[in-house]
Amino acid sequence: MTTDAVTRLDSASEAPRNVGIGLILRRLLRDPVAVFSLIVLTLLLIALLAAGQVAPYDPLRQNLRLRNLPPGTPPVEEGGFPHILGTDELGRDVLSRLIHGARVSLAVGLGSALLSGTAGTALGILAGYYGGRLDDLIMRLVDLQMSFPFLLLALLVLYALGPGFLNVILVLALVRWMVYARVARGLTLAMRSSPFIDAARVTGNSDLRIIRRHLLPNLASPLVILFTLEIAALILGEAALSYLGFGVQKPEPSWGLMIEAGKSYVSTAWWLTTFPGLAIFLTALSLNLLAASLRAISDPVQRERWLNAGLRERP
């Protein structure tokens, strides 16, 4: 073997050891797509945690003298904040309603994703680990529920329970748990016969300990990626339900409700539907871009390609 070949082999063997958090962060900051998604999600997180402090106006305050003002309208009161995104049909500031609507949409998305992810992951692991009749029962239930359209099933359940913030979270969790169940079951089936699971079983570990200490850590990466994608899907679902009148109710600010209220003014006040629709689009896009970056970081093979694509020289 030549000296050059040995050098290349040494460099390849050392490459994985040089990958650290700092290198990944530098790669993220050099990726304009990742930076864009992080900026959008950071702004949404600020809106979620401090909507009352960053919103320039009360989102429920009405003033019919200010109805349907275009974006960039200067403040009526001296020293006030300009209506950057205009006002709606009741004179409420659109920017303030968007900020508070982000709190509602993200709370619904995160809450529903946590509930559905917890229940679906638990059922999927049980089905894949134990198999047999339990597996058949859970997976037939998954197949039955997935045969119904997602939005139609949510509408039927909400019609029975009634609309409202908490009901929307529960219903969206109820109609999306099977996505986690199928993924968790497939991954568990692939790992159930792995040598490290057999070794843990032979050494006397209980099933609960094997699932908690050995299975769950190996399932975490793909499930976190799925969780990120599901938040985007659930935010879209909440907007659709609110638009149809079965989600968050007026006068609470919600992106779906804002689009529904502004649809009658599309020809005269385009900003009433454009900005809420743009907020939904950017949020879903950013979450999907973040999921793609998480997948590249979590997979060893993809991580090397992803790093080499952005960092030509390593420190």
Side-chain angles (χ1 to χ4, degrees), residues 125 129 191 196-197 200-201 203 205-220:
I125 290 176
Y129 187 81
M191 297 181 185
F196 70 93
I197 297 295
R201 191 178 292 115
T203 54
N205 288 277
S206 63
D207 290 341
L208 180 60
R209 182 177 176 83
I210 291 174
I211 291 173
R212 182 170 55 88
R213 297 294 299 275
H214 301 283
L215 274 178
L216 276 178
N218 289 282
L219 301 181

Side-chain angles (χ1 to χ4, degrees), residues 262-279:
K263 71 180 187 299
S264 302
Y265 303 90
V266 172
S267 59
T268 57
W270 55 267
W271 55 91
L272 299 184
T273 55
T274 300
F275 291 124
L278 187 62

Side-chain angles (χ1 to χ4, degrees), residues 154-163 167 246:
L155 287 172
L156 290 174
V157 178
L158 276 174
Y159 180 78
L161 295 179
N167 284 349
F246 287 88

